[in-house]
Amino acid sequence: MELSDLGFDDWFRRQGEPYGSEYRMARVTAVDRDRYLVRNDRGEVPAEVAGRLRFSAESSVDLPCVGDWTAIQDHDAGTLAIIHHILPRKSVLRRKSAGRKSEYQLISANIDVAFIVQSCDRDFNLRRLERYLVMVNEGRIAPVVLLNKADLVCGHDLEQKIRETERAGIAGRVLGFSAKTGSGLDRVQQELERGKTYCLVGSSGVGKTTLLNRLLGREVFETHPVREQDGRGRHTTSRRQLIVLDGGAMLIDNPGMRELGVIGIGAGLDESFSDIHELSEGCRFRDCTHTQEAGCSVLAAVESGELSEERYRSYMKLMKESEHHERSYVERRRRDRAFGRFIKSAMRPKKRKNG
Ligand code: GDP
Ligand code: ZN
C-alpha cells in the first residue's frame, strides 16, 4: 500500500515537507483515549503522542484524531510509533462540546465526502438535514444526501422527497436507495473514489450500520480488532476506525460519529417517540427504564403487540446512545480535572537543594 492509497496527495505532501527525512508520514486509523493506531506504506502500528506535543496541546483539538496525517518516528524496532506532529487538516468533522459554548470536540479529520443519511419514512426531516449540512459545510467537507429505506415508500413519494430536499438549497447530490433490498445501492457505490475518505452521519435508526455492512468488503470494522500490548504487558485491542474498502475508498466510523446523531436528543426523543412517551406515563415507577420493571406499560404494549418490537428496539437504542453520550461527557470532565491537578503538581517549582 502506497501513502497515496491512504489519501496522501500533493497537498499533504507539501504540508509534510518541512518535517524532512527525520520523520515518516502516517495516518491515524484509531483513537482510544490516549492510545492510537497509525497506518502507512509499512503497515499499521500502535502509536503514542510525544510528550512535547501532548503538553503543548491547549485542547483536544491540538491532539491527533482519526483521519489525521501525522509525522511519526519508529520505536521498538517498528512496533510502536511516536507521533510528533499533526499535519494541517484539510477538513474536520467537529461539534460543540456539551456545556461549553466555545469549545469544540474533534470527531475526525481529512474527510472528503460526508454521506448524510436520512430515511424516507419517519426520520425524513429537512430541518435536521440542514443542521447536518451546516456542520459538514463548516468543516469543509462535501455533502451527499442519502435517502434510505426507499423500499418503504412508493416511487412517487421518493421522487417528491428528493425534489423537496433539492429545493431546500442543498448543493450536493441527493440519492434515494434501500440498504435493505439493495436497490439504488449501485449509485451510492459509484460515489466512492479510490484514495478518498468518506463517513456516514445521521440519526440513529436511519440505517447507517446496514449501509456500512453493505459497503464493507474485506476489512470489517467490528470483527477486525488489532492486537497490541500496553505498557504493563497486557494484551488489549483497538478497534480500527478508518478502513480501506475493497474498491480503495476509505470509510471512517468511530464512536464520535455515532454520537453525532444524538445531539440534543433529550427533548427530541420524546417528540419522535410520543407514543412511547405516552405509554410511559402509565408505568408504575416514575423512573422506569422500560427494560424489566414490573408494571411497565411500555413492555406490556410490546407484549400485546400494541407497540411494535422494532419501534421499541430503536427507542431503546437511542436511549442508550444518549445516556452513553451523557456518561462520556461526565467522564471526560473528570479526566480533565485529574489532568489539571497533574499539570499543577508538575509545574510547582522544585525546592532548591543548596539553601
Ligand atoms: P443506524 O442506527 O443508523 O446504524 O441504523 P441501522 O442500520 O441499525 O438500522 C435501523 C433499522 O432500520 C434496522 O432495523 C434495519 O434493519 C432497518 N433498515 C436499514 N435499512 C433499511 C432499508 O433500506 N429499508 C428498511 N425497510 N429498513 C431498513
Ligand atoms: Zn416502563
Side-chain angles (χ1 to χ4, degrees):
M1 174 155 295
E2 306 276 321
L3 284 185
S4 60
D5 294 326
L6 291 166
F8 199 72
D9 58 13
D10 289 340
W11 190 83
F12 285 117
R13 209 174 301 283
R14 280 197 299 278
Q15 310 304 317
E17 266 163 17
Y19 299 110
S21 57
E22 229 182 294
Y23 299 97
R24 306 166 66 49
M25 298 296 140
R27 194 160 191 199
V28 177
T29 54
V31 179
D32 181 14
R33 277 171 241 127
D34 53 353
R35 308 153 55 75
Y36 302 82
L37 283 177
V38 297
R39 183 165 178 178
N40 61 15
D41 45 342
R42 295 191 174 183
E44 195 166 47
V45 287
E48 287 170 13
V49 170
R52 225 186 135 111
L53 176 56
R54 190 164 55 236
F55 290 115
S56 67
E58 285 174 9
S59 78
S60 63
V61 174
D62 302 323
L63 291 171
C65 67
V66 175
D68 263 332
W69 278 100
T70 60
I72 62 157
Q73 284 179 343
D74 290 336
H75 275 253
D76 299 339
T79 57
L80 177 73
I82 302 295
I83 301 172
H84 290 271
H85 303 281
I86 304 169
L87 268 55
R89 293 165 176 139
K90 215 187 237 186
S91 67
V92 290
L93 194 63
R94 59 177 198 177
R95 68 154 183 214
K96 286 207 174 70
S97 300
R100 295 191 217 169
K101 273 209 183 94
S102 57
E103 204 170 284
Y104 283 95
Q105 190 189 343
L106 220 50
I107 289 148
S108 52
N110 304 322
I111 291 175
D112 296 293
V113 176
F115 291 122
I116 303 176
V117 189
Q118 291 215 323
S119 74
C120 289
D121 58 342
R122 252 188 302 262
D123 182 71
F124 184 73
N125 182 321
L126 285 174
R127 302 293 301 277
R128 191 179 305 131
L129 185 61
E130 274 166 9
R131 284 208 294 277
Y132 279 110
L133 278 167
V134 167
M135 184 173 63
V136 165
N137 285 327
E138 275 180 354
R140 300 187 301 274
I141 302 170
V144 172
V145 178
L146 299 184
L147 298 183
N148 187 28
K149 308 199 188 181
D151 57 292
L152 294 181
V153 297
C154 66
H156 174 75
D157 259 17
L158 177 62
E159 276 308 311
Q160 198 174 327
K161 287 202 159 99
I162 291 176
R163 268 203 306 275
E164 233 178 282
T165 311
E166 285 168 344
R167 263 207 305 275
I170 280 137
R173 274 177 302 285
V174 184
L175 307 174
F177 76 107
S178 167
K180 194 171 206 165
T181 67
S183 88
L185 200 70
D186 50 336
R187 272 181 298 158
V188 178
Q189 249 141 357
Q190 275 163 24
E191 293 286 323
L192 301 170
E193 263 181 69
R194 171 178 292 276
K196 291 258 157 67
T197 308
Y198 302 81
C199 71
L200 302 176
V201 300
S203 309
S204 188
V206 296
K208 298 183 298 298
T209 310
T210 311
L211 174 60
L212 208 63
N213 288 330
R214 284 272 187 178
L215 298 177
L216 286 173
R218 197 172 3 92
E219 287 185 88
V220 180
F221 280 109
E222 295 296 308
T223 61
H224 211 290
V226 177
R227 284 184 79 72
E228 54 180 288
Q229 228 166 13
D230 73 9
R232 293 175 201 87
R234 281 178 313 194
H235 275 290
T236 54
T237 53
S238 265
R239 200 159 277 161
R240 187 177 292 145
Q241 297 158 359
L242 180 153
I243 65 149
V244 184
L245 299 176
D246 268 350
M250 283 160 283
L251 204 54
I252 292 182
D253 180 49
N254 64 5
M257 209 76 82
R258 298 273 161 151
E259 287 174 8
L260 268 180
V262 200
I263 313 168
I265 211 73
L269 197 63
D270 285 343
E271 203 176 289
S272 11
F273 289 90
S274 54
D275 49 346
I276 295 184
H277 184 67
E278 259 165 48
L279 282 169
S280 72
E281 283 168 358
C283 294
R284 186 179 301 163
F285 305 107
R286 266 197 79 80
D287 58 350
C288 186
T289 61
H290 321 309
T291 51
Q292 51 182 26
E293 289 88 347
C296 172
S297 310
V298 177
L299 287 177
V302 176
E303 190 91 337
S304 73
E306 183 191 339
L307 178 68
S308 83
E309 241 184 275
E310 196 191 346
R311 188 152 168 80
Y312 170 74
R313 266 205 302 273
S314 63
Y315 174 79
M316 291 313 291
K317 189 176 165 197
L318 228 68
M319 280 293 281
K320 226 170 81 197
E321 283 178 23
S322 95
E323 277 168 16
H324 168 74
H325 173 60
E326 292 286 310
R327 217 169 30 241
S328 64
Y329 175 63
V330 170
E331 264 168 27
R332 199 165 60 239
R333 290 304 303 263
R334 198 178 297 135
R335 266 206 316 276
D336 285 352
R337 277 202 294 278
F339 188 63
R341 277 200 299 277
F342 170 68
I343 291 281
K344 254 191 218 148
S345 69
M347 303 219 320
R348 206 169 288 148
K350 296 223 170 68
K351 277 191 188 143
R352 295 255 179 105
K353 270 185 183 159
N354 53 341

